[in-house]
Structures are given as C-alpha cells and as structure tokens.
C-alpha cells in the first residue's frame, strides 16, 4: 500500500517576525522566549517519532546581531537534525505593499543569509510569505482585498509576481493561499480543500495549505488524505503551542501520537524531500 506524505510547515517568525507581526505597543518579551522553547519541544518530538518537518524562518534571524534576534545556533541545529530550512521572508514583511525591488531583496537576502548560516549553498529552496499574503492570483481570477496593496498598482499584490521572483532567485517551492471564485460559491470543506494539490507554474511548485493547527479537525484532514491518497500540507507556528487555540501544545501532542500510530500509511517528511 502506497503511503501519503504529510508535510508539516512551521512558520517560525522568531523575534524579528514577532515584532513585525504583532500589534504595536503590546510588546512582551515572553512570547519570544516561549517560541524558542517550543522549537526545542518540537525538535524533541520529531526525534522521538522520527518525523522531519519544514521550518520557514525569517532571514534576519540568521544575521549577525545579538540573541534573541540572532538564533544561528538554533537554525543550524534544526538543519542538522534533518529538517528543512525555508525562508519566511527577511523580516516578516507584508509583501503586497512592497516595491518590487524590496520584494526581490527580501527574497534573495533571506535565502543567502540562511544558507550562509547553515553553510550549504543552495539548500534553501522553499518560501512561505508572511501572513500568507498576497492571496490575490490575478491569472486564476482570485482576488483578496485584504492584501491591501492591490494589483496592478502593487506588483507584489499578485502571487504570480512572487512566483517569478522566487523562481529567478533559485527557489523551488512556495506556499500560497488563494480562493478561486468558484470556491467562494461552493463552501469549502475538508474534502474540497484537499482537492488542491501541488500546482506547477512555469516549473515552480505552489504548495497548498490544507489546515492550520493540530486539533481534531487536523486529524480529520489527515484521515481524508489517507482515504483519498492525497498528500497533506499542515501549517503550525511554534509560538502557537503556547496559545489556547487549534495549535495548542495539547493538540500537538495528540496530533503527533496520531501520526505515529499511522506510520504504515503516512510519511512525515519535509517539503523539499519531494525534489530530491
Ligand atoms: Zn509568520
């Protein structure tokens, strides 16, 4: 019986990402500490169950600064344990409102500095845009006003533009979220969301996001994947383990136990394993 692949992609914002992603004036150091502690917890679980994940990390976190902004040792540690390091932009920017030159810089610098940290040129091939933006894909008829920077006024407000930059910059895959008009009409459920697999655009792979979190719904998505023989892409945030939501640590514990019990049907592997 052929196995399905489950890809768990971690959006690892790190200190710079948390500063840029949270509402201003509500700063607290504790979530930054918690996130790093949770990364260690995730790595230990991965070792225990022999799972390999993908970690999309902000590039700034690999620049030479000071702890906890600089976490080179943690990035190296993640990589040395067999996980994939992908880019989560340079400093967790809102891509759609950026000028093309800024987008190119963020995409290229993050790849360069993460690879420099790991010491393996060409090893960073995945990209996860912060906030999953843009969600507009003009060529597919998918528009999202929530992008704020709207195409054609903002080139970055179109997934297709990011694909071009990523491809030209040596990336192989990117995770993008978008909704086609027909999908708005017919309500999304687990089944319809799994219908979208990896899409190839000019030789670049767009990977889907089937579910964010580890609760009972996540387990249902995996069960559907096994049933339909579809690979599943799950997203989580190390910081989310400390919050009371679908990514809470108690859900994560149950989720990895579940995956482990299904190991004859499921391989938990990084996204880049699809290309090697
Ligand atoms: Zn993020």
């Amino acid at each position: 019986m052929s196995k399905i692949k489950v890809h768990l992609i971690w959006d690892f914002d790190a200190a710079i990402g948390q500063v840029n992603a949270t509402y201003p004036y509500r700063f607290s150091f504790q979530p930054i500490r918690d996130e790093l502690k949770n990364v260690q917890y995730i790595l230990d679980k991965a070792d225990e169950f022999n799972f390999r994940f993908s970690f999309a990390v902000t590039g700034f976190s690999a620049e030479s600064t000071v702890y906890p902004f600089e976490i080179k040792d943690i990035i190296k540690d993640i990589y040395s344990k067999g996980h994939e390091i992908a880019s989560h932009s340079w400093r967790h920017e809102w891509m759609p409102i950026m000028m093309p030159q800024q987008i190119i810089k963020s995409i290229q610098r993050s790849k360069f500095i993460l690879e420099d940290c790991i010491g393996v040129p060409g090893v960073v091939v995945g990209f996860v845009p912060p906030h999953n933006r843009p969600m507009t894909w003009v060529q597919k008829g998918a528009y999202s006003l929530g992008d704020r920077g709207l195409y054609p006024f903002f080139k970055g407000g179109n997934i297709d533009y990011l694909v071009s930059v990523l491809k030209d910059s040596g990336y192989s895959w990117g995770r993008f979220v978008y909704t086609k008009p027909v999908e708005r009409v017919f309500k999304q459920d687990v089944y319809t969301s799994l219908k979208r697999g990896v899409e190839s655009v000019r030789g670049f792979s767009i990977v889907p996001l089937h579910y964010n979190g580890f609760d009972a719904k996540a387990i249902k998505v995996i069960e559907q994947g096994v049933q339909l023989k579809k690979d599943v892409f799950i997203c989580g945030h190390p910081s989310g383990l400390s919050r009371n939501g679908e990514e809470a640590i108690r859900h994560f514990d149950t989720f990895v136990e579940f995956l482990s019990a299904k190991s004859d049907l499921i391989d938990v592997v990084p996204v880049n394993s699809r290309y090697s």
Side-chain angles (χ1 to χ4, degrees):
M1 196 174 181
S2 65
K3 293 184 175 187
I4 65 155
K5 290 186 167 82
V6 170
H7 301 295
L8 176 40
I9 302 171
W10 293 99
D11 292 19
F12 185 7
D13 298 337
I16 190 71
Q18 291 207 27
V19 168
N20 285 321
T22 49
Y23 287 111
Y25 319 121
R26 276 211 219 144
F27 181 76
S28 161
F29 191 24
Q30 195 54 42
I32 291 173
R33 285 203 196 100
D34 287 345
E35 185 185 33
L36 296 176
K37 193 183 75 198
N38 292 344
V39 166
Q40 198 51 57
Y41 186 84
I42 292 161
L43 292 176
D44 290 346
K45 281 283 175 195
D47 274 354
E48 187 185 336
F49 292 107
N50 202 24
F51 295 155
R52 297 293 172 265
F53 305 136
S54 297
F55 289 79
V57 193
T58 41
F60 184 80
S61 308
E63 299 281 1
S64 296
T65 58
V66 289
Y67 184 85
F69 290 98
E70 179 192 315
I71 47 163
K72 285 186 199 181
D73 289 347
I74 297 172
I75 295 166
K76 282 184 220 172
D77 189 38
I78 296 171
Y79 178 76
S80 73
K81 290 186 156 87
H83 305 284
E84 171 178 17
I85 299 292
S87 165
H88 195 32
S89 82
W90 189 66
R91 62 169 176 88
H92 212 276
E93 300 96 332
W94 190 276
M95 291 269 159
I97 57 167
M98 291 162 77
M99 294 295 108
Q101 203 48 41
Q102 292 175 300
I103 293 173
I104 293 166
K105 281 275 180 194
S106 174
I107 283 172
Q108 293 185 347
R109 178 70 189 181
S110 58
K111 179 172 162 63
F112 167 78
I113 202 69
L114 287 166
E115 289 174 354
D116 187 64
C117 166
I118 297 165
V120 184
V123 80
V124 174
V125 296
F127 186 81
V128 174
H131 313 279
N132 293 316
R133 297 287 175 176
M135 292 185 182
T136 295
W137 194 343
V138 175
Q139 285 77 358
K140 301 254 182 192
Y143 291 90
S144 173
L145 291 176
D147 282 344
R148 304 205 305 245
L150 297 183
Y151 191 85
F153 307 105
F154 291 86
K155 270 179 118 170
N158 184 9
I159 290 171
D160 204 76
Y161 177 69
L162 268 81
V163 167
S164 296
V165 176
L166 288 166
K167 192 169 181 274
D168 291 350
S169 305
Y171 287 83
S172 307
W173 68 267
R175 190 190 73 201
F176 288 98
V177 177
Y178 65 96
T179 311
K180 289 185 220 169
V182 64
E183 293 164 334
R184 278 192 205 288
V185 178
F186 300 102
K187 200 173 165 288
Q188 288 266 340
D189 60 18
V190 167
Y191 180 77
T192 54
S193 80
L194 275 181
K195 270 188 178 166
R196 186 172 296 158
V198 177
E199 296 174 89
S200 179
V201 178
R202 303 188 292 277
F204 183 86
S205 292
I206 309 278
V207 311
L209 195 173
H210 292 131
Y211 190 69
N212 187 113
F214 313 112
D215 59 359
K217 229 175 151 185
I219 289 175
K220 208 180 147 199
V221 177
I222 305 286
E223 281 171 341
Q224 293 267 20
V226 169
Q227 209 183 326
L228 300 168
K229 298 208 186 314
K230 301 261 188 199
D231 296 340
V232 182
F233 291 77
I234 300 286
C235 162
H237 299 75
S239 57
L241 264 56
S242 297
R243 289 191 294 265
N244 226 340
E246 57 275 10
E247 297 180 43
I249 198 159
R250 64 177 198 283
H251 293 314
F252 179 64
D253 286 350
T254 313
F255 185 68
V256 289
E257 295 276 357
F258 168 81
L259 292 176
S260 176
K262 296 262 181 196
S263 61
D264 53 330
L265 300 168
I266 292 168
D267 278 328
V268 183
V269 288
V271 179
N272 66 356
S273 68
R274 304 180 75 87
Y275 308 102
S276 55

